[in-house]
Amino acid sequence: MAPVVFVNRFLVPKEGSSESECEDAIGIRPDASSDEAVAYPLSAAVSDGASESLLATRWSRLLVEHAAEVGALHPEVFDDPGTLSAELVRRAVEPWDDQIREYCSRRQTEGRPVQWYEQPGLEKGAFATLVALRLYPLPFADPDDGGPKLYGPAEWEFHAVALGDSCLFHVSCGEVRAFPIASSAEFGLNPLLLGSRNHDVDLIASRLAHTCGHLRDGDELLLTTDALAAWFLRGCEEQSHPWHELGDAADKGQEEFGSWVREQRAARLMRNDDVALVRILARTERNR
């Protein structure tokens, strides 16, 4: 039986922050529930808003919304950094001043107008990382059948882009391929960020890394922000097969996954930062 995919998503704010303050964000198009067997193309994106910038939460949510939407509408976009960069600038960067006006107006209505010392931050803009992919089933056909190809997931192909230290992990047959960072020591070294006032399409395109691959029965893809990615890579370096522990926590649902993240923080195994995870499993339905 050909594999389908199952998509799970998790957001856990840093200790002391509420869900509304979480600066990590997730976008998936078309949307799919965790128990839905997906046999159609989909796009997913994860972003980590930089805490030192104002409106980081708003910016990271805009980025994942538009990255996932562009991937769903334009199948080739993750193979063409120039096109993707132009679309992100058009959809997210160019309307940013409208976002600022709406924010200032709401603050005024709430009786807490923007203060003079906040203006430089608003003028500078917000910043965030991004990792995004498009995943689609490859066509297959009976080699003895001279008719048209059938559309179905004999295997899946993915194309992904990244800017900064949000990561994609491809787990297959007990091996892990990491993108764009392959070592836990690389975290905390001033990652590249996409700014809400960066209109330079060529510069953004030059900073986007690209990868691709195939997803087969039993494989999984993990899109993560930096705190979880660093934990995962340390586990790989220690040969502890961290995808098993992560999968066990994810299989128990959002509440239990949040508890597991907090346990890792308490044990100082994971930095206290927002956590975002999209987990995509390729499974035959009967073997899920």
Side-chain angles (χ1 to χ4, degrees):
M1 181 182 294
V4 292
V5 298
F6 296 87
V7 184
N8 306 104
R9 77 201 72 189
F10 303 91
L11 276 174
V12 183
K14 63 175 70 71
E15 298 302 313
S17 295
S18 65
E19 290 185 9
S20 64
E21 295 171 316
C22 183
E23 292 166 338
D24 286 3
I26 291 170
I28 299 174
R29 298 289 186 280
D31 203 4
S33 62
S34 60
D35 59 352
E36 178 182 353
V38 175
Y40 48 78
L42 62 86
S43 298
V46 162
S47 177
D48 177 7
S51 298
E52 61 271 19
S53 60
L54 285 179
L55 301 185
T57 296
R58 182 177 295 223
W59 178 235
S60 65
R61 291 176 181 177
L62 277 175
L63 278 182
V64 296
E65 173 188 342
H66 291 300
E69 186 174 286
V70 169
L73 293 174
H74 305 288
E76 74 289 347
V77 74
F78 291 150
D79 279 332
D80 185 352
T83 300
L84 176 59
S85 300
E87 285 292 326
L88 290 177
V89 167
R90 181 176 71 84
R91 293 166 175 262
V93 175
E94 290 180 357
W96 185 246
D97 283 340
D98 293 335
Q99 294 285 331
I100 296 299
R101 282 190 287 271
E102 186 276 331
Y103 172 74
C104 293
S105 176
R106 180 168 56 82
R107 287 276 302 266
Q108 187 73 33
T109 300
E110 293 172 350
R112 48 187 195 95
V114 171
Q115 302 299 302
W116 63 268
Y117 54 81
E118 295 176 283
Q119 289 294 344
L122 292 178
E123 292 169 6
K124 185 178 181 181
F127 299 85
T129 65
L130 177 68
V131 61
L133 66 77
R134 177 175 171 82
L135 178 69
Y136 54 93
L138 294 175
F140 69 95
D142 183 341
D144 296 326
D145 182 0
K149 286 186 175 182
L150 303 175
Y151 189 72
E155 64 179 13
W156 295 71
E157 185 169 318
F158 66 88
H159 293 255
V161 294
L163 193 157
D165 57 9
S166 290
C167 292
L168 169 67
F169 301 109
H170 179 197
V171 183
S172 179
C173 300
E175 301 291 333
V176 174
R177 184 158 65 99
F179 167 80
I181 292 177
S183 167
S184 62
E186 296 181 54
F187 290 92
L189 300 177
N190 299 316
L192 292 172
L193 299 169
L194 181 55
S196 64
R197 293 199 179 279
N198 185 355
H199 292 257
D200 192 332
V201 171
D202 292 336
L203 178 62
I204 296 170
S206 72
R207 292 177 173 178
L208 284 170
H210 172 266
T211 193
C212 60
H214 292 87
L215 197 67
R216 300 178 175 88
D217 187 22
D219 288 4
E220 56 186 282
L221 294 171
L222 307 168
L223 289 85
T224 76
T225 46
D226 59 336
L228 181 57
W231 173 91
F232 190 90
L233 281 172
R234 281 194 297 271
C236 292
E237 291 157 3
E238 296 166 1
Q239 299 184 339
S240 66
H241 300 162
W243 55 93
H244 293 314
E245 182 177 354
L246 183 63
D248 288 342
D251 285 341
K252 296 175 182 176
Q254 173 68 46
E255 185 174 346
E256 289 298 323
F257 181 81
S259 297
W260 174 81
V261 168
R262 288 186 285 273
E263 289 171 3
Q264 303 306 303
R265 293 169 177 164
R268 298 186 181 277
L269 298 174
M270 187 184 299
R271 185 164 53 89
N272 180 26
D273 196 4
D274 299 326
V275 165
L277 168 66
V278 174
R279 183 179 182 230
I280 301 173
L281 308 175
R283 300 287 190 268
T284 57
E285 290 188 80
R286 64 187 175 192
N287 292 330
R288 187 188 180 200

